[in-house]
Amino acid sequence: DKYLVTATLRRDGSSRFAPGHQYGVFPSGSVAWKAKEESFLKNVNAISELKFRASYGQIGNQFNAGTFQYLAQYSSGPGAANTNNNGYPFNKVYQPGLVLAQLPNPDLKWETSDQTDIGVDAAFLNGNLTLTIDYYKKKSRDFLLNIPVPAQTGFTSAFRNVGSIDNSGLEINLNYGKSTSKDFHYNVGVNFT
């Protein structure tokens, strides 16, 4: 009840990615210390609760990837440049042919997000006044997007893993709530992000 540790390891697989990239391993873990349970704080009546915590986690996303996006796909319809010149004459009879309809990407893999959180939970005045402070940092990378490609490829776009975004911030919540009688309870809160 004083020291908390959690660890998780996920291994996810998806047939939407090329062989060699179909499986992703995503770890996560957290630790917490309930400082109020320590002997030097147990008898401090002004502090009802004091907990320090930290966590890290990684998760993968495959939802933007359609099926077989990593393979070259062929079509008997109009070609990449919307032309119908994909057939050939055989014995003076036109025979339909196939054209490349999608550029392959054998390097297609999972989108990944890593997030770190560090926080403090505290309560005072018999639990009526609570304070929560959280710092977070999140990095998302290898987004699954259809991006423009040079016209000389014969295509206007191709499905790729591109880009990254960093998000970080601080969140502070301060709440005060009290029952003044059996039938009346009030709560006032302030949030800063």
Side-chain angles (χ1 to χ4, degrees):
D1 292 338
K2 194 184 298 185
Y3 309 106
L4 309 171
V5 177
T6 304
T8 305
L9 185 64
R10 287 182 63 118
R11 184 169 193 257
D12 294 332
S14 174
S15 60
R16 297 181 183 206
F17 301 115
H21 299 290
Q22 290 179 332
Y23 292 93
V25 177
F26 307 108
S28 66
S30 65
V31 294
W33 173 40
K34 291 185 176 179
K36 175 63 179 167
E37 301 297 320
E38 297 289 352
S39 59
F40 59 86
L41 284 177
K42 209 162 196 145
N43 296 323
V44 177
N45 294 331
I47 301 174
S48 308
E49 179 188 344
L50 182 60
K51 180 168 76 170
F52 299 92
R53 54 190 162 70
S55 63
Y56 167 81
Q58 189 179 78
I59 193 155
N61 178 27
Q62 51 106 25
F63 294 112
N64 286 342
T67 53
F68 308 113
Q69 293 281 347
Y70 64 92
L71 293 174
Q73 293 184 28
Y74 292 85
S75 169
S76 60
N82 281 326
T83 62
N84 284 316
N85 299 331
N86 56 1
Y88 57 93
F90 185 72
N91 285 339
K92 298 184 181 180
V93 176
Y94 182 79
Q95 300 295 324
L98 296 175
V99 293
L100 185 63
Q102 173 181 290
L103 289 171
N105 182 359
D107 299 320
L108 207 58
K109 60 185 177 183
W110 289 84
E111 279 185 14
T112 307
S113 292
D114 300 90
Q115 183 162 336
T116 302
D117 290 288
I118 299 170
V120 177
D121 298 313
F124 309 94
L125 307 175
N126 296 320
N128 292 328
L129 179 65
T130 60
L131 173 67
T132 302
I133 302 172
D134 277 299
Y135 169 78
Y136 66 90
K137 184 172 179 63
K138 181 178 181 182
K139 179 168 187 168
S140 301
R141 63 185 183 280
D142 297 325
F143 296 112
L144 294 162
L145 296 173
N146 218 9
I147 62 165
V149 293
Q152 53 269 45
T153 63
F155 294 85
T156 57
S157 63
F159 206 70
R160 300 287 185 255
N161 288 100
V162 294
S164 67
I165 294 178
D166 287 328
N167 290 310
S168 62
L170 181 69
E171 294 181 357
I172 300 172
N173 290 302
L174 183 64
N175 288 294
Y176 182 79
K178 189 168 183 174
S179 296
T180 57
S181 68
K182 191 167 97 175
D183 297 325
F184 183 72
H185 180 83
Y186 66 92
N187 192 348
V188 178
V190 177
N191 177 288
F192 172 79
T193 301

